[in-house]
């Protein structure tokens, strides 16, 4: 067990390493922060949830440095595009956050944000799956393996429409030329969506780089991770200032994430970009289902959460302890039924817990599945490479 | 562990200091782990290769 000094809670260290490792694999492979995997995972293992988002963003800073370094060594990182995108991203995030504040004042934020998030995830799932199947059709038609498809009708049109706007920048990795304003424009849109949804943005930025900027998939993954370093640092800063970060937990997570990120990043060497898109689409589907389950539990949570938090506060518990207590049936039964005399709260809590438990089980299974697929791809790639190298050496030896 | 206890004290007394400590800690650990991984691969003589273009140029069948 480790002691978390900011929240005053004790918890086991190994779930943090495990979560860090899993998210490292997924993040290194897709170029995303994978917060949608982290926060439910932390909740299940009793991590105080008021520190979950901030701690996640803090660990993302370190994890993204490790993964970006590896992708940079592969030649997957366009620092120029990433730095220009930061300008648009930060502006877009602030604009999105302002819209959320407006909706919050109207009492509409939760439902609207989650609904928009699900629409985007569903769209990404269908479009990227369609994209993968299109590549397979091209393979059948041409008889040639399709590793990656670069550019779409929209990206080509956008490139042509902005080609006259200086400054023009060059993506060294691919030789592509594009207007810096084009990059800022795309980043503004993705930043707005990220700020609106309250997410890091990788889930939206990587597809945007692929389908709107027209970058090759692996370059989009590496370039996004470069940007995640800065957006993660910004998130870490804002949450830390509010006291919402457990540094100990972030450090333990990064120890697992650093190892996982190596596996996830190196695996991109052995798979085609188009396969990364297929797995990305499946990941979007998992995120959609997880968000749907959360949405279904919200009406029940709204019945009791404000009231029970007041009761727990009066009983002497700290805010950091609330999330852990609200997972315990005996505690909730006691405080809701016997102390607060609100059996309706308890009934709503039981229904919400069904969705929470199903959602948690689903997330853990989904994360394990994605991680396993990536690791299997890595092992297969390493074995195939080794065999090819040995065969080459054997041939070279035979010809001497 | 004393470092983390000290840092958690900053969370209450100096939130800005706490934020800077967090970012610096993560940056230092991240870079150290990244370099350590690179050195391990070099020591094991594992060549991880470089980016290989795996798409057709636009105008070809696969590029359409």
């Amino acid at each position: 067990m480790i002691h978390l000094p900011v929240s005053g809670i004790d918890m086991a260290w190994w779930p943090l390493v495990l979560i860090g490792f899993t998210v490292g694999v997924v993040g290194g492979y897709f170029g995303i922060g994978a917060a949608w995997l982290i926060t439910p995972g932390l909740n299940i293992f009793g991590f105080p949830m008021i520190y979950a988002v901030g701690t996640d963003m803090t660990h993302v800073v370190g994890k993204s440095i490790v993964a970006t370094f590896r992708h940079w060594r592969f030649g997957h990182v366009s620092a120029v595009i990433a730095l220009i995108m930061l300008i648009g991203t930060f502006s877009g995030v602030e604009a999105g956050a302002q819209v959320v504040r407006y909706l919050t004042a109207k009492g509409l934020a939760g439902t609207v944000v989650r609904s928009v998030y699900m629409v985007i995830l569903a769209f990404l799932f269908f479009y990227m799956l369609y994209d993968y199947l299109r590549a397979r059709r091209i393979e059948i038609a041409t008889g040639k393996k399709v590793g990656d498809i670069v550019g779409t009708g929209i990206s080509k049109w956008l490139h042509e429409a902005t080609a006259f706007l200086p400054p023009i920048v060059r993506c060294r990795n691919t030789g592509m030329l594009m207007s810096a304003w084009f990059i800022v424009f795309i980043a503004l849109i993705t930043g707005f969506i990220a700020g609106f949804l309250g997410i890091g943005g990788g889930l939206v930025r990587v597809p945007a780089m692929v389908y709107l900027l027209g970058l090759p998939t692996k370059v989009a993954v590496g370039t996004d991770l470069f940007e995640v370093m800065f957006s993660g640092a910004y998130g870490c800063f804002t949450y830390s200032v509010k006291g919402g970060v457990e540094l100990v937990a972030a450090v333990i997570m990064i120890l697992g994430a650093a190892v996982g990120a190596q596996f996830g990043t190196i695996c991109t060497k052995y798979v085609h970009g188009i396969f990364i898109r297929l797995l990305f689409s499946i990941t979007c589907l998992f995120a959609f289902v997880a968000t749907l389950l959360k949405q279904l539990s919200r009406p029940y949570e709204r019945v009791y959460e404000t009231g029970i938090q007041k009761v727990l506060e009066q009983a002497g518990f700290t805010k950091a302890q609330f999330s852990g207590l609200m997972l315990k049936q005996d505690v909730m039964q006691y405080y809701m039924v016997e102390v607060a005399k609100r059996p309706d709260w308890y009934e709503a809590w039981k229904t919400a817990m069904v969705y929470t438990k199903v959602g948690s089980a689903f997330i853990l299974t989904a994360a394990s599945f994605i991680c396993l697929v990536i690791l299997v791809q890595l092992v297969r790639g390493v074995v195939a490479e080794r065999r090819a190298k040995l065969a080459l050496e054997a041939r070279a030896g035979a010809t001497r | 562990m004393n470092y983390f206890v000290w840092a958690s004290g900053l969370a209450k007394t100096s939130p800005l200091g706490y934020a800077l400590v967090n970012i610096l800690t993560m940056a230092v650990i991240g870079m150290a782990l990244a370099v350590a991984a690179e050195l391990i691969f070099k020591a094991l003589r594992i060549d991880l290769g470089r980016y290989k273009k795996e798409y057709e140029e636009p105008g070809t069948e696969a590029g359409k």
Side-chain angles (χ1 to χ4, degrees), chain A residues 9 26 52 64 160 185 188 207 259 300 311 333 337 344 388:
Chain A
I9 305 279
V26 173
S64 58
E160 281 159 19
F185 171 67
L188 263 170
V259 176
Y300 300 98
V311 170
Q333 185 172 25
V337 176
D344 58 317

Side-chain angles (χ1 to χ4, degrees), chain A residues 3 5-6 58 66 70 73-74 142 144 147-148 150 216 218 237 240-241 245 247-248 258 262 266 269 272-273, chain B residues 1 4 8 15-16 18-19 22-23 26-27 30 33 37-38 41-42 47-51 54-56 61 63:
Chain A
H3 180 70
V6 176
T58 302
V66 175
R70 183 55 50 213
R73 293 287 282 144
F74 280 148
T142 60
K144 279 160 69 178
D148 204 0
V150 167
K218 294 178 188 179
F237 182 85
S240 296
V241 164
V245 172
L247 182 59
V248 172
Q262 298 299 322
I266 293 168
K269 178 189 167 191
H272 291 301
Chain B
M1 204 60 201
F4 298 112
S8 68
L16 186 61
Y18 184 55
N22 284 347
I23 292 172
M26 285 294 116
L33 290 170
E38 183 70 9
F41 284 124
K42 276 198 157 62
D47 176 22
L48 294 173
R50 298 280 297 171
Y51 172 64
E54 51 180 11
Y55 55 91
E56 297 282 343
E61 190 60 44

Side-chain angles (χ1 to χ4, degrees), chain A residues 8 59 84 290:
Chain A
H59 115 275
I84 295 172

Side-chain angles (χ1 to χ4, degrees), chain A residues 200-224:
Chain A
L203 215 55
V204 179
R205 237 183 352 252
V206 170
M209 282 197 254
V210 169
Y211 295 116
L212 299 179
L213 279 184
L215 291 181
T217 310
K218 294 178 188 179
V219 174
V221 165
T223 304
D224 186 60

